[in-house]
């Protein structure tokens, strides 16, 4: 009976020592932020840059990322913004570069957002690089995560394609019968 107790105590001691040594040597996995919205503030960026419909994301050690949305969508900030189903780029402290998958509407054109930056130390401004244009906006509108909408409402919903499209024929045209 004493040998059995000694073996069980010895087993528990080995398990305890193994778990301590894993923690000391850094072998214990560190909990990663669970959402993309928790990662952005760690890089001094507002969490509301990405919509609420994220289904998955990948963040590589070099900062390259892929964010997958449930579906493409629109969010109205100071400007109407379109998010493709997949967004890619490179995350750095205070910036997102090589950005693909986000567009902004200016007048009648959709323009690719190439880069997003914030001031360091933080200020009330955020900067969007769209081609050769650098647009400064108030950062407050990007601090909360926004819900998407599937389509564009109002004047934005009419593209050239919809203007040039012929009306759909109807089967309910009444015929006049004369006798």
């Amino acid at each position: 009976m004493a040998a059995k107790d000694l073996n069980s105590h010895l087993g528990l001691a080995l398990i305890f020592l193994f778990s301590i040594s894993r923690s000391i040597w850094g072998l214990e996995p560190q909990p990663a932020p669970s959402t993309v919205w928790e990662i952005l503030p760690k890089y001094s960026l507002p969490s509301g840059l990405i919509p609420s419909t994220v289904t998955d994301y990948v963040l590589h050690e070099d900062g390259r990322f892929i964010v997958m949305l449930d579906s493409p969508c629109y969010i109205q900030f100071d400007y109407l913004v379109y998010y493709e189903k997949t967004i890619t780029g490179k995350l750095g402290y205070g910036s997102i570069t090589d950005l693909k998958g986000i567009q902004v509407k200016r007048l009648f054109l959709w323009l690719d957002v190439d880069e997003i930056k914030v001031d360091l130390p933080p200020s009330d401004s955020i900067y969007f690089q769209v081609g050769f244009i650098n647009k400064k906006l108030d950062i407050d509108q990007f601090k909360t995560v926004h819900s998407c909408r599937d389509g564009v409402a109002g004047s934005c919903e009419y593209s050239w394609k919809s203007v040039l499209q012929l009306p759909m024929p109807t089967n309910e045209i009444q015929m006049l019968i004369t006798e």
Side-chain angles (χ1 to χ4, degrees):
M1 184 79 161
K4 186 177 182 181
D5 287 339
L6 181 61
N7 283 341
S8 68
H9 289 305
L10 192 57
L12 288 174
L14 286 174
I15 291 171
F16 177 72
L17 287 174
F18 180 70
S19 65
I20 288 176
S21 66
R22 285 180 57 146
S23 299
I24 291 171
W25 294 106
L27 299 174
E28 194 70 30
Q30 299 298 316
S34 60
T35 68
V36 69
W37 307 286
E38 293 171 341
I39 291 174
L40 289 172
K42 292 183 184 301
Y43 286 84
S44 197
L45 294 164
S47 57
L49 288 173
I50 303 293
S52 64
T53 58
V54 173
T55 58
D56 197 10
Y57 73 94
V58 176
L59 177 60
H60 298 280
E61 287 183 17
D62 65 354
R64 289 178 302 117
F65 69 86
I66 302 170
V67 174
M68 282 74 64
L69 304 181
D70 186 34
S71 62
C73 69
Y74 300 86
I75 296 179
Q76 182 70 53
F77 295 104
D78 280 353
Y79 300 96
L80 184 62
V81 177
Y82 171 74
Y83 293 89
E84 293 179 8
K85 189 171 180 174
T86 302
I87 303 164
T88 63
K90 186 167 185 180
L91 190 58
Y93 194 74
S95 69
I96 299 174
T97 57
D98 301 325
L99 188 58
K100 303 284 184 244
I102 300 178
Q103 298 177 343
V104 63
K105 186 165 188 190
R106 291 294 293 143
L107 302 173
F108 297 108
L109 301 173
W110 286 99
L111 306 169
D112 291 328
V113 177
D114 301 316
E115 194 171 302
I116 301 172
K117 289 188 176 185
V118 295
D119 288 327
L120 297 174
S123 71
D124 293 336
S125 300
I126 187 166
Y127 304 89
F128 292 83
Q129 186 76 33
V130 179
F132 61 89
I133 300 168
N134 193 20
K135 183 66 179 170
K136 177 181 175 180
L137 297 174
D138 183 27
I139 200 166
D140 287 340
Q141 62 187 318
F142 301 99
K143 287 186 177 179
T144 58
V145 178
H146 296 270
S147 298
C148 281
R149 60 184 195 211
D150 294 333
V152 181
S155 63
C156 299
E157 71 180 323
Y158 297 106
S159 65
W160 283 110
K161 183 179 177 182
S162 64
V163 168
L164 298 175
Q165 188 175 29
L166 294 174
M168 294 298 291
T170 178
N171 292 333
E172 297 180 12
I173 297 175
Q174 295 182 5
M175 298 180 67
L176 294 175
I177 302 176
T178 58
E179 291 186 39

